Amino acid sequence: MTSDQIILFSLFGLLFAMLLWGRYRYDIVAFSTLLLGVILGVVPTEEAFTGFGHHATIIVALVLVVSAGLVKAGAVQLITNVVVDSGRSLQGHIAVLGGGGAILSGFINNVAALALLIPVDLRAARKAGRSPGLSLMPLSFATILGGMVTLIGTPPNIIIASIRAEELGAPFQMFDFAPVGATVALVGMGFVTIIGWRLIPQRATEQNPSEALHETSAYLAELSVPEGNPAIGKPLGDLYEAADDSEVTILGLIRDGKRRYGSARSTRLEPDDILVIEAHPDALDEFRAGQGLAYTDADRRDVIEGEAEGLALIEAVVPRDARIAETTAQAIGLHWRQRSIIVGVSRQGRRISDNLRRARIKAGDILLLLTPVDHGPQVVRWLGCLPLAERGLSITKQNMAWLAIGLFAVAVTAASFGVLSLPIGLGAVVMAYVLTGIIPLRDLYDEIEWPVVVLLGSLIPLGSALNDSGGADLVAGQLIGLTEGLPGWAILAILMAVTMTLSDVLNNTATSLVAAPVGIEMARRLDASPDAFLMAVAVAASAAFLTPIGHKNNTLILGPGGYRFGDYWRMGLPLEILVIAVSVPAILVFWPL
């Protein structure tokens, strides 16, 4: 290996190690690695920031805005409003809602599709009297499968198309992914609907439905005792009867920063004591109002002056890359930056030992936020979270639905027939959405997931440097050496298995940027069609079903579904094997070697 190759492989090894560690958000890790590559001389200075102007980066940003526009216009709700039927069987519900989610994911970002459908699924579970854990994982997997069908369904497809344009002279078009992607999605949906949901652990499937739903939305919360409250001077135990009536569980008391459990029942209350409780959001607010308590301690009480007037409670799920993930509300300045506070955290039934504003928030947590009225969606976006409860969703403009759909359909059709390039078409849709008021101008840039943009902008120059240094050739040579003598279909299957493994533990965007050049070089050495190998990488990079960290959709359902880290592989492993078994023959038919 050359010195440049050694440095670049070391940088990618460091990058992957930091991503696996998860201590720092992936965009910070990627951008720091890019800067280190420039300093070490393996990435040319003049090419350091070319990734931010790359058309793959632009397309991803525009797709996110268009997806938000379709949601705000009420276009997606036209589909989801007819989906919920409490009389439908679980298998039928998974088929209908999962199928709808898969179709949506082909045309809007699959994370946005799932975020919209989670409240729909929770409502359906509540009406049917069953645990949401039975249907949320199938729904997540369905939206991931649906994203494989089109160019804009998932970022790996956009990246693969861009790499093909650079290496082979022309990108994949809008529906080039459909023959293989749709085949995989249909077979995968059949498995998820008929067999997959039965593989969810019994712990989730055998819970009492009402208890499961209650536990899913039960929060660890804190209420403080303000000056002048009638309970001051009385034992904490006096509040237990009122708590029982409101379906609230008092867990203990915090005084002077120290928790008191057990003996706290006999402790006489003092001003600014904090009650640690567990409750459903509605029960929490009922108990707070009935006992004259406050949502927070004294130094933050100005946020909730005037009781609940002008304020709203909103529930939000924390994805892995959220601003608040792996940090605290105090550290990011949630109170003074957004005039909002965390009043409850739900973490799969596990206790949280720290005061809520100092508690380190984890991916998969559900936050109960107190925000200024009509400010909730902005706070959720600023945090990098996704709204869970319907009261947290943006107000839709139902009269704009068909206009939004029509504009998007025109752009997709024009791009499909080569009248316009896809970035130009999507850019025109975004401008039309702004001019017609579908997306308020003030919200335009908030709809872009900037950490993903920074990740892409940082990794594209690093990937190009690795390719230019011969690093991709080296990896391809090693893989070909290991698979020497095997038929083409077996080599494709092994490439997919390696790519899937990476995608299960890393960001699928990073995986596709590394694996695609390797696939092209393998094809060249085997004198085979690069398109077959690129399709294999595209499907495998998206097929992250083994862990809650492999795909953001899996992270989003971790809390609402009450799942554990080890629950995913039970349905995910056979699904990944099925994806390889189905996609390899499909690739050989539609993209022959």
Side-chain angles (χ1 to χ4, degrees):
M1 285 197 297
T2 66
S3 59
D4 281 0
Q5 288 174 346
I6 293 172
I7 293 172
L8 282 164
F9 279 122
S10 298
L11 285 176
F12 272 99
L14 176 64
L15 172 72
F16 291 159
M18 294 295 288
L19 290 176
L20 282 172
W21 184 27
R23 178 65 178 83
Y24 301 99
R25 206 170 63 188
Y26 59 74
D27 54 321
I28 301 300
V29 173
F31 190 69
S32 300
T33 306
L34 171 63
L35 295 179
L36 192 55
V38 174
I39 292 170
L40 294 174
V42 293
V43 177
T45 302
E46 62 274 13
E47 296 180 10
F49 303 115
T50 55
F52 292 93
H54 196 277
H55 54 279
T57 308
I58 302 300
I59 290 173
V60 168
L62 291 173
V63 165
L64 292 169
V65 179
V66 171
S67 297
L70 289 169
V71 173
K72 287 178 180 292
V76 180
Q77 284 86 335
L78 289 177
I79 300 172
T80 59
N81 284 345
V82 300
V83 167
V84 176
D85 181 356
S86 58
R88 188 178 288 133
S89 68
L90 175 60
Q91 188 166 303
H93 171 77
I94 292 172
V96 173
L97 190 62
I103 293 170
L104 285 177
S105 296
F107 297 97
I108 69 173
N109 180 268
N110 53 17
V111 178
L114 179 65
L116 182 81
L117 294 178
I118 285 177
V120 177
D121 189 63
L122 291 176
R123 187 168 77 249
R126 190 173 295 112
K127 285 185 176 181
R130 57 172 170 77
S131 169
L134 284 165
S135 52
L136 278 175
M137 190 180 295
L139 177 60
S140 173
F141 287 3
T143 55
I144 294 172
L145 289 166
M148 301 178 185
V149 178
T150 66
L151 173 62
I152 62 175
T154 185
N157 286 4
I158 297 171
I159 293 165
I160 298 297
S162 300
I163 291 175
R164 186 183 190 275
E166 293 174 358
E167 297 294 328
L168 305 179
F172 285 122
Q173 299 302 315
M174 181 71 175
F175 295 104
D176 284 348
F177 295 91
V180 176
T183 301
V184 173
L186 286 171
V187 175
M189 273 302 305
F191 167 80
V192 167
T193 302
I194 299 170
I195 300 173
W197 64 271
R198 304 176 194 275
L199 303 177
I200 296 172
Q202 290 185 349
R203 175 181 45 79
T205 62
E206 292 183 352
Q207 289 185 65
N208 178 277
S210 60
E211 290 180 1
L213 288 168
H214 184 268
E215 289 173 5
T216 298
S217 55
Y219 290 88
L220 179 74
E222 295 172 358
L223 297 176
S224 66
V225 182
E227 290 277 0
N229 188 284
I232 292 175
K234 297 179 181 179
L236 174 60
D238 288 1
L239 292 177
Y240 274 58
E241 183 176 349
D244 290 340
D245 291 340
S246 297
E247 297 185 344
V248 167
T249 302
I250 299 177
L251 302 177
L253 178 74
I254 299 176
R255 179 177 294 169
D256 299 326
K258 296 181 180 179
R259 285 181 181 256
R260 301 186 180 190
Y261 293 106
S263 61
R265 188 182 184 108
S266 60
T267 301
R268 295 188 178 276
L269 294 174
E270 297 180 2
D272 297 327
D273 278 352
I274 298 174
L275 307 183
V276 182
I277 69 174
E278 192 169 46
H280 182 276
D282 295 336
L284 170 66
D285 198 54
E286 177 187 334
F287 180 68
R288 177 200 66 83
Q291 302 305 314
L293 303 172
Y295 270 120
T296 184
D297 46 280
D299 63 342
R300 296 180 293 165
R301 192 167 297 149
D302 60 323
V303 179
I304 51 111
E305 282 296 327
E307 295 298 319
E309 186 176 351
L311 296 170
L313 286 173
I314 187 168
E315 294 170 282
V317 186
V318 181
R320 191 183 182 196
D321 59 336
R323 182 195 298 266
I324 199 171
E326 299 302 329
T327 187
T328 67
Q330 186 175 32
I332 65 172
L334 175 62
H335 172 227
W336 63 271
R337 288 179 185 272
Q338 296 294 324
R339 304 290 292 170
S340 302
I341 54 175
I342 296 175
V343 297
V345 178
S346 177
R347 182 177 295 168
Q348 300 170 272
R350 296 195 298 271
R351 294 283 186 258
I352 298 169
S353 58
D354 294 322
N355 181 277
L356 286 183
R357 64 171 169 167
R358 294 193 298 270
R360 187 172 293 276
I361 304 302
K362 304 289 186 181
D365 285 354
I366 309 175
L367 306 181
L368 183 63
L369 300 162
L370 185 71
T371 72
V373 70
D374 296 331
H375 193 57
Q378 178 182 328
V379 175
V380 172
R381 285 196 299 270
W382 183 82
L383 287 171
C385 299
L386 288 165
L388 174 61
E390 290 181 342
R391 57 179 170 269
L393 297 176
S394 301
I395 301 301
T396 59
K397 305 176 178 65
Q398 295 289 354
N399 60 320
M400 295 285 194
W402 289 111
L403 175 62
I405 293 172
L407 290 169
F408 178 60
V410 169
V412 169
T413 302
S416 300
F417 286 97
V419 178
L420 290 174
S421 69
L422 184 61
I424 299 301
L426 291 174
V429 174
V430 169
M431 288 300 96
Y433 282 1
V434 171
L435 293 174
T436 56
I438 292 173
I439 296 180
L441 185 59
R442 66 180 181 275
D443 295 340
L444 177 61
Y445 296 107
D446 291 337
E447 305 298 348
I448 299 174
E449 196 172 344
W450 291 108
V452 173
V453 171
V454 174
L455 175 73
L456 276 173
S458 301
L459 288 186
I460 286 172
L462 284 167
S464 297
L466 183 65
N467 196 27
D468 293 342
S469 72
D473 300 358
L474 188 63
V475 175
Q478 291 295 319
L479 283 175
I480 290 173
L482 291 172
T483 58
E484 186 175 359
L486 295 178
W489 65 265
I491 296 174
L492 280 177
I494 290 171
L495 175 63
M496 290 190 70
V498 171
T499 305
M500 278 183 179
T501 301
L502 284 175
S503 197
D504 277 320
V505 295
L506 300 174
N507 183 283
N508 57 10
T509 302
T511 299
S512 55
L513 280 165
V514 173
V518 173
I520 291 175
E521 187 56 32
M522 289 179 70
R524 286 172 176 165
R525 293 195 177 204
L526 294 168
D527 195 23
S529 167
D531 288 339
F533 285 79
L534 286 174
M535 280 292 163
V537 170
V539 172
S542 294
F545 302 114
L546 296 187
T547 69
I549 63 174
H551 196 287
K552 187 181 291 184
N553 284 17
N554 291 343
T555 305
L556 291 180
I557 63 167
L558 184 65
Y563 303 119
R564 296 174 184 170
F565 192 98
D567 289 345
Y568 290 76
W569 70 270
R570 297 169 184 263
M571 179 167 39
L573 181 58
L575 181 56
E576 288 197 2
I577 294 171
L578 182 64
V579 167
I580 294 176
V582 170
S583 57
V584 170
I587 290 169
L588 294 177
V589 170
F590 296 109
W591 303 93
L593 290 174

